[in-house]
Short mmCIF file of all heavy atoms in Angstrom, two decimals:
data_model
loop_
_atom_site.label_atom_id
_atom_site.label_comp_id
_atom_site.label_asym_id
_atom_site.label_seq_id
_atom_site.Cartn_x
_atom_site.Cartn_y
_atom_site.Cartn_z
N ASN T 1499 -20.01 10.07 -21.86
CA ASN T 1499 -21.07 10.41 -20.90
C ASN T 1499 -20.86 11.77 -20.25
O ASN T 1499 -20.84 11.90 -19.03
CB ASN T 1499 -21.12 9.31 -19.80
CG ASN T 1499 -21.63 7.99 -20.36
OD1 ASN T 1499 -22.75 7.88 -20.83
ND2 ASN T 1499 -20.76 6.98 -20.33
N TYR T 1500 -20.72 12.77 -21.09
CA TYR T 1500 -20.62 14.15 -20.62
C TYR T 1500 -21.73 14.96 -21.29
O TYR T 1500 -21.91 14.89 -22.53
CB TYR T 1500 -19.23 14.72 -20.93
CG TYR T 1500 -18.16 14.10 -20.07
CD1 TYR T 1500 -17.64 12.84 -20.39
CD2 TYR T 1500 -17.72 14.71 -18.92
CE1 TYR T 1500 -16.67 12.25 -19.59
CE2 TYR T 1500 -16.75 14.13 -18.10
CZ TYR T 1500 -16.24 12.89 -18.45
OH TYR T 1500 -15.30 12.29 -17.63
N SER T 1501 -22.47 15.71 -20.50
CA SER T 1501 -23.73 16.30 -20.95
C SER T 1501 -23.58 17.22 -22.17
O SER T 1501 -24.46 17.26 -23.03
CB SER T 1501 -24.40 17.07 -19.81
OG SER T 1501 -23.55 18.11 -19.36
N LEU T 1502 -22.46 17.95 -22.27
CA LEU T 1502 -22.30 18.90 -23.36
C LEU T 1502 -21.61 18.33 -24.59
O LEU T 1502 -21.54 19.00 -25.62
CB LEU T 1502 -21.51 20.12 -22.86
CG LEU T 1502 -22.13 20.93 -21.72
CD1 LEU T 1502 -21.26 22.13 -21.38
CD2 LEU T 1502 -23.54 21.39 -22.08
N LEU T 1503 -21.12 17.08 -24.46
CA LEU T 1503 -20.38 16.47 -25.56
C LEU T 1503 -21.27 15.48 -26.31
O LEU T 1503 -22.04 14.72 -25.69
CB LEU T 1503 -19.13 15.77 -25.05
CG LEU T 1503 -18.14 16.65 -24.28
CD1 LEU T 1503 -16.96 15.82 -23.79
CD2 LEU T 1503 -17.65 17.81 -25.15
N ASP T 1504 -21.14 15.47 -27.63
CA ASP T 1504 -21.95 14.58 -28.47
C ASP T 1504 -21.32 13.18 -28.48
O ASP T 1504 -20.22 13.02 -29.01
CB ASP T 1504 -21.99 15.17 -29.90
CG ASP T 1504 -22.84 14.33 -30.85
OD1 ASP T 1504 -23.32 13.25 -30.44
OD2 ASP T 1504 -22.99 14.75 -32.01
N PRO T 1505 -21.99 12.17 -27.91
CA PRO T 1505 -21.37 10.84 -27.87
C PRO T 1505 -21.14 10.22 -29.23
O PRO T 1505 -20.28 9.34 -29.39
CB PRO T 1505 -22.37 10.02 -27.04
CG PRO T 1505 -23.67 10.73 -27.17
CD PRO T 1505 -23.32 12.18 -27.28
N GLU T 1506 -21.87 10.68 -30.24
CA GLU T 1506 -21.67 10.16 -31.60
C GLU T 1506 -20.33 10.60 -32.18
O GLU T 1506 -19.87 10.01 -33.15
CB GLU T 1506 -22.82 10.61 -32.50
CG GLU T 1506 -24.17 10.04 -32.11
CD GLU T 1506 -24.16 8.51 -32.16
OE1 GLU T 1506 -23.62 7.96 -33.16
OE2 GLU T 1506 -24.66 7.87 -31.22
N THR T 1507 -19.74 11.64 -31.61
CA THR T 1507 -18.45 12.12 -32.09
C THR T 1507 -17.27 11.63 -31.25
O THR T 1507 -16.12 11.91 -31.56
CB THR T 1507 -18.42 13.66 -32.12
OG1 THR T 1507 -18.44 14.15 -30.76
CG2 THR T 1507 -19.59 14.23 -32.88
N ALA T 1508 -17.59 10.93 -30.16
CA ALA T 1508 -16.55 10.52 -29.21
C ALA T 1508 -15.73 9.35 -29.76
O ALA T 1508 -16.27 8.43 -30.38
CB ALA T 1508 -17.15 10.14 -27.87
N VAL T 1509 -14.44 9.38 -29.51
CA VAL T 1509 -13.55 8.28 -29.85
C VAL T 1509 -12.57 8.10 -28.70
O VAL T 1509 -12.32 9.03 -27.91
CB VAL T 1509 -12.77 8.49 -31.17
CG1 VAL T 1509 -13.70 8.62 -32.35
CG2 VAL T 1509 -11.84 9.69 -31.06
N GLY T 1510 -12.05 6.91 -28.56
CA GLY T 1510 -10.98 6.62 -27.61
C GLY T 1510 -9.91 5.81 -28.30
O GLY T 1510 -10.09 5.35 -29.43
N GLY T 1511 -8.81 5.63 -27.62
CA GLY T 1511 -7.75 4.83 -28.22
C GLY T 1511 -6.52 4.80 -27.35
O GLY T 1511 -6.49 5.37 -26.25
N HIS T 1512 -5.50 4.15 -27.86
CA HIS T 1512 -4.23 4.09 -27.14
C HIS T 1512 -3.09 3.79 -28.10
O HIS T 1512 -3.31 3.45 -29.27
CB HIS T 1512 -4.28 3.02 -26.04
CG HIS T 1512 -4.48 1.61 -26.53
ND1 HIS T 1512 -4.92 0.59 -25.73
CD2 HIS T 1512 -4.29 1.03 -27.75
CE1 HIS T 1512 -4.99 -0.53 -26.41
NE2 HIS T 1512 -4.61 -0.28 -27.63
N PHE T 1513 -1.89 3.95 -27.61
CA PHE T 1513 -0.68 3.53 -28.34
C PHE T 1513 0.36 3.15 -27.30
O PHE T 1513 0.35 3.63 -26.16
CB PHE T 1513 -0.18 4.62 -29.29
CG PHE T 1513 -0.15 6.00 -28.71
CD1 PHE T 1513 0.97 6.48 -28.04
CD2 PHE T 1513 -1.25 6.84 -28.84
CE1 PHE T 1513 1.02 7.75 -27.53
CE2 PHE T 1513 -1.22 8.13 -28.30
CZ PHE T 1513 -0.10 8.59 -27.65
N PHE T 1514 1.28 2.28 -27.68
CA PHE T 1514 2.31 1.77 -26.80
C PHE T 1514 3.70 2.16 -27.32
O PHE T 1514 3.92 2.19 -28.52
CB PHE T 1514 2.25 0.24 -26.70
CG PHE T 1514 1.04 -0.31 -26.01
CD1 PHE T 1514 -0.18 -0.38 -26.65
CD2 PHE T 1514 1.14 -0.80 -24.71
CE1 PHE T 1514 -1.30 -0.89 -26.02
CE2 PHE T 1514 0.03 -1.33 -24.06
CZ PHE T 1514 -1.18 -1.37 -24.70
N PHE T 1515 4.61 2.41 -26.36
CA PHE T 1515 6.01 2.63 -26.68
C PHE T 1515 6.85 1.54 -26.06
O PHE T 1515 6.68 1.24 -24.87
CB PHE T 1515 6.50 3.98 -26.16
CG PHE T 1515 5.82 5.18 -26.76
CD1 PHE T 1515 5.11 6.04 -25.98
CD2 PHE T 1515 5.92 5.42 -28.12
CE1 PHE T 1515 4.50 7.16 -26.51
CE2 PHE T 1515 5.31 6.54 -28.67
CZ PHE T 1515 4.59 7.41 -27.87
N PRO T 1516 7.79 0.97 -26.78
CA PRO T 1516 8.80 0.10 -26.13
C PRO T 1516 9.81 0.98 -25.39
O PRO T 1516 10.11 2.09 -25.85
CB PRO T 1516 9.45 -0.61 -27.31
CG PRO T 1516 9.32 0.35 -28.45
CD PRO T 1516 8.04 1.11 -28.23
N LEU T 1517 10.29 0.52 -24.26
CA LEU T 1517 11.36 1.25 -23.56
C LEU T 1517 12.71 0.69 -24.00
O LEU T 1517 13.29 -0.16 -23.36
CB LEU T 1517 11.18 1.13 -22.04
CG LEU T 1517 9.94 1.82 -21.45
CD1 LEU T 1517 10.00 1.81 -19.94
CD2 LEU T 1517 9.79 3.24 -21.97
N GLY T 1518 13.15 1.16 -25.14
CA GLY T 1518 14.40 0.70 -25.73
C GLY T 1518 14.22 0.32 -27.19
O GLY T 1518 13.10 0.13 -27.66
N PRO T 1519 15.32 0.19 -27.93
CA PRO T 1519 15.25 -0.08 -29.37
C PRO T 1519 15.22 -1.55 -29.70
O PRO T 1519 16.02 -2.05 -30.48
CB PRO T 1519 16.55 0.59 -29.88
CG PRO T 1519 17.52 0.39 -28.76
CD PRO T 1519 16.71 0.49 -27.49
#
Side-chain angles (χ1 to χ4, degrees):
N1499 291 298
Y1500 290 80
S1501 60
L1502 299 182
L1503 302 179
D1504 181 356
E1506 294 300 315
T1507 68
V1509 299
H1512 64 199
F1513 44 89
F1514 292 78
F1515 296 119
L1517 293 189

